[in-house]
């Protein structure tokens, strides 16, 4: 988180918020509608970066200890949490917004499987964009 904060200070944007909290438990925020003070409108974000906890197996080259500690169970144990965080991010995203899912893992169980599960859950409401 400290590195992210450092990098984002270079942007110098008043519309930037970095949160170090359990992402799956972030509350949905509401405000009173400007046109009708009795009606509440959900606040949503235009851009979300979901940098989720992972096994870190993508860092093995610089962190050889990861290889010694890595196990299939470790990756599978994170699957549910990763899916919950990405799902909450989607729930907090404004229509037409962009969400980026990020790990430092190369494991398809932590990447493609999570994205596929969330795409299936929101059938047609999300678009997968090729950024290669």
């Amino acid at each position: 988180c400290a590195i992210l904060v450092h990098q984002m200070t270079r942007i110098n944007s008043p519309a930037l918020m970095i949160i170090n909290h359990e992402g799956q438990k972030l509350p949905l925020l509401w405000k009173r509608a400007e046109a009708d003070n009795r009606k509440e409108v959900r606040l949503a974000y235009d851009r979300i970066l979901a940098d989720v906890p992972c096994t870190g197996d993508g860092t093995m080259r610089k962190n050889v200890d990861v290889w010694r500690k890595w196990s299939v169970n470790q990756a599978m144990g994170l699957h549910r949490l990763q899916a919950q965080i990405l799902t909450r991010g989607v729930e907090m995203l404004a229509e037409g917004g962009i969400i980026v899912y990020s790990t430092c893992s190369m494991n398809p169980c932590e990447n493609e499987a999570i994205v596929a599960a969330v795409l299936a859950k929101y059938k047609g409401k999300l678009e997968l964009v090729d950024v290669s």
Side-chain angles (χ1 to χ4, degrees):
C1 188
I3 294 171
L4 182 60
V5 169
H6 173 74
Q7 294 296 332
M8 293 299 104
T9 56
R10 297 182 335 185
I11 293 176
N12 196 24
S13 171
L16 175 73
M17 178 172 44
I18 297 171
I19 301 170
N20 187 10
H21 183 70
E22 295 180 31
Q24 75 278 21
K25 295 181 181 178
L26 286 171
L28 297 176
L29 302 176
W30 299 84
K31 71 173 185 174
R32 297 230 182 262
E34 293 176 19
D36 182 357
N37 200 24
R38 294 170 292 170
K39 188 176 179 184
E40 288 192 333
V41 179
R42 183 177 60 86
L43 291 175
Y45 299 90
D46 296 323
R47 307 281 187 270
I48 296 176
L49 169 61
D51 187 17
V52 302
C54 67
T55 58
D57 62 19
T59 66
M60 278 189 238
R61 199 178 64 157
K62 68 178 182 179
N63 186 1
V64 293
D65 199 39
V66 169
W67 182 248
R68 286 187 277 262
K69 293 179 181 177
W70 189 91
S71 74
V72 172
N73 290 336
Q74 184 186 26
M76 294 308 294
L78 289 169
H79 182 87
R80 182 172 178 218
L81 175 62
Q82 292 165 333
Q84 288 173 338
I85 292 171
L86 183 56
T87 297
R88 178 51 102 192
V90 170
E91 291 168 351
M92 299 177 84
L93 191 64
E95 187 173 329
I98 297 172
I99 187 165
V100 175
Y101 177 76
S102 170
T103 72
C104 56
S105 172
M106 296 183 299
N107 188 336
C109 292
E110 296 183 73
N111 294 311
E112 290 89 347
I114 300 297
V115 172
V118 173
L119 286 172
K121 181 176 182 174
Y122 290 95
K123 300 177 189 106
K125 294 181 181 177
L126 297 173
E127 176 187 0
L128 183 61
V129 178
D130 183 1
V131 294
S132 58

